[in-house]
Amino acid sequence: MIIDCIIIGGGIAGLQAAIQLGRYAAHHVLVIDAGDGRSAICRSYRNLLGYPDGVSGMELREAGMRQLAAYGIDVIHDTIIEATRTADGHFLLRGSGDTSSSSATTYTARTLLIATGVMDRFTDYPGLRPCLGLTVYVCPDCDGYEVKDRRTVVLGAGDVGAKMALTLRAWTDKLVYIDQGDADGDVAPELHARLREQLEAAGIRRVQATVNAVTADTRTGEFQGVQLADGTVVEAERAFLAYGGNEVRSQLARQLGASLHENGHIWTDPRSKMTSVPGVWAAGDVAVHAEQVSIAMGEGAQAAIWIHKLLLDPQTVIPTYSPHAP
Ligand SMILES: Cc1cc2nc3c(=O)[nH]c(=O)nc-3n(C[C@H](O)[C@H](O)[C@H](O)COP(=O)(O)OP(=O)(O)OC[C@H]3O[C@@H](n4cnc5c(N)ncnc54)[C@H](O)[C@@H]3O)c2cc1C
């Protein structure tokens, strides 16, 4: 069976796109989702219109799934591991089949929307996850406001963590940057000299240390501080994670030959959200590049509108991202 549109990723962008496509009541749409993702771990978004007290990623996802059911759109729990183009111009996807069956599954589609997101790199200390989005954050544009005048630690590495600490200085002067060093967390790299000077000028203390444990009330998601390898306890009310090296989940776009930004995000046309590969769209965090819920929703809806146009009339000229455009 050839499906009109397969949406890979049932997070914020993918679900919003599916709702929009479902409302045309004209296409066979399938969402395939691996079940993790940033929206699955963030316990509160507070910068969204209509949610002054916050809403969790799982609440939004569950509400989206209920909306989809009304349009008869199925969501399959699977991880797509390979995407290729067939001789007749369709897209063949191979899933790991890791849920309902033990064997790999294949799916064929006329169009694709890649909405696979990004996954942050952080050490999964016991107690940290219940705080994510409530008192521990990753994005200053989203949550800088939440640390206003509060004792805050930046748990990070090298220049990335230093830049985060400097950005947060706009909201609080009660900042400690705990620099855990390189990806292995055991060698503290030298900071760029200019950043070191800027930290000093901003009065931000940088501690080069390994974090042994996080203390938190896991019931309420209240972060309380960290314990360092030498036993020192650094108390804080809020934390930001800034290690760099986040995983941009654009492998499928790469396999299909889509143009990627140097940091791995997928280029799309600003109007249609189609990638450089005709018939393949991208939306949300995996695209270039704002990493916010409202933007993921907007991109998902925008992509769906143009996918609908192409499905209605395959001759439609869709604005396409071109690496050679001026
Ligand atoms: C701690 C934290 C706090 C945040 N706070 C805010 C905030 O306050 N405000 C805000 O606007 N944003 C915030 N964000 C960012 C926000 O969560 C993301 O911008 C949003 O989730 C992006 O939606 P998305 O659909 O692009 O990706 P996601 O929500 O990550 O969804 C991607 C989906 O794709 C699936 N997937 C990936 N690869 C595959 C594959 N190969 N096959 C099948 N499925 C796949 C994943 O399982 C996942 O379900 C926060 C993020 C984090 C981690």
Side-chain angles (χ1 to χ4, degrees):
M1 182 187 10
I2 300 171
I3 296 159
D4 290 328
C5 180
I6 293 182
I7 298 172
I8 311 171
I12 305 296
L15 290 174
Q16 183 65 65
I19 290 166
Q20 180 64 38
L21 277 170
R23 291 179 64 80
Y24 294 115
H27 313 300
H28 183 192
V29 178
L30 177 66
V31 178
I32 302 175
D33 185 51
D36 58 357
R38 290 176 124 191
S39 52
I41 60 173
C42 181
R43 292 190 59 197
S44 185
Y45 299 123
R46 289 199 190 80
N47 59 341
L48 284 184
L49 179 70
Y51 293 100
D53 300 323
V55 60
S56 76
M58 283 314 288
E59 281 174 273
L60 287 180
R61 286 169 70 116
E62 282 160 15
M65 299 280 271
R66 287 193 294 277
Q67 270 175 277
L68 285 193
Y71 302 120
I73 295 179
D74 289 327
V75 180
I76 290 182
H77 189 21
D78 198 354
T79 303
I80 300 301
I81 50 178
E82 191 178 72
T84 50
R85 188 141 213 178
T86 62
D88 52 5
H90 296 134
F91 299 100
L92 181 66
L93 303 179
R94 193 159 64 87
S96 60
D98 54 359
T99 51
S100 50
S101 69
S102 55
S103 57
T105 325
T106 57
Y107 312 87
T108 309
R110 290 192 169 79
T111 61
L112 284 184
L113 172 61
I114 299 174
T116 42
V118 162
M119 187 43 80
D120 302 86
R121 183 170 77 87
F122 60 89
T123 306
D124 208 353
Y125 297 105
L128 188 65
R129 270 182 191 257
C131 301
L132 290 176
L134 287 172
T135 53
V136 176
Y137 316 104
V138 296
C139 159
D141 298 306
C142 304
D143 288 314
Y145 182 82
E146 302 302 325
V147 305
K148 195 166 182 309
D149 299 325
R150 291 183 189 270
R151 283 175 301 144
T152 301
V153 287
V154 173
L155 306 179
D159 290 357
V160 177
K163 286 178 189 164
M164 178 66 82
L166 288 166
T167 302
L168 296 176
R169 184 64 182 77
W171 288 279
T172 182
D173 59 2
K174 299 169 189 150
L175 274 167
V176 177
Y177 169 30
I178 299 175
D179 184 348
Q180 291 181 258
D182 66 12
D184 298 326
D186 53 8
V187 181
E190 269 314 299
L191 274 191
H192 192 279
R194 187 168 145 69
L195 285 171
R196 212 172 37 237
E197 284 164 21
Q198 286 177 308
L199 286 178
E200 274 165 27
I204 299 170
R205 188 160 65 96
R206 171 180 172 237
V207 180
Q208 293 174 266
T210 302
V211 172
N212 259 5
V214 160
T215 45
D217 181 334
T218 53
R219 195 179 45 82
T220 60
E222 279 300 313
F223 177 82
Q224 291 161 343
V226 292
Q227 190 185 59
L228 306 181
D230 67 0
T232 309
V233 170
V234 181
E235 291 183 355
E237 301 159 275
R238 298 288 184 266
F240 259 84
L241 310 178
Y243 295 97
N246 293 345
E247 178 198 354
V248 183
R249 294 172 157 177
S250 56
Q251 305 89 327
L252 301 170
R254 190 187 295 275
Q255 290 170 16
L256 290 164
S259 296
L260 303 185
H261 191 267
E262 59 192 14
N263 63 8
H265 289 265
I266 308 169
W267 284 113
T268 59
D269 178 83
R271 196 158 155 235
S272 68
K273 301 298 161 197
M274 193 160 82
T275 68
S276 60
V277 177
V280 179
W281 273 259
D285 284 3
V286 75
V288 180
H289 173 80
E291 306 202 9
Q292 291 216 344
V293 168
S294 54
I295 292 168
M297 283 184 182
E299 290 194 349
Q302 201 175 344
I305 288 168
W306 286 90
I307 292 169
H308 166 66
K309 289 183 201 289
L310 188 72
L311 289 173
L312 270 193
D313 177 3
Q315 303 302 318
T316 309
V317 178
I318 310 289
T320 309
Y321 172 77
S322 165
H324 307 299

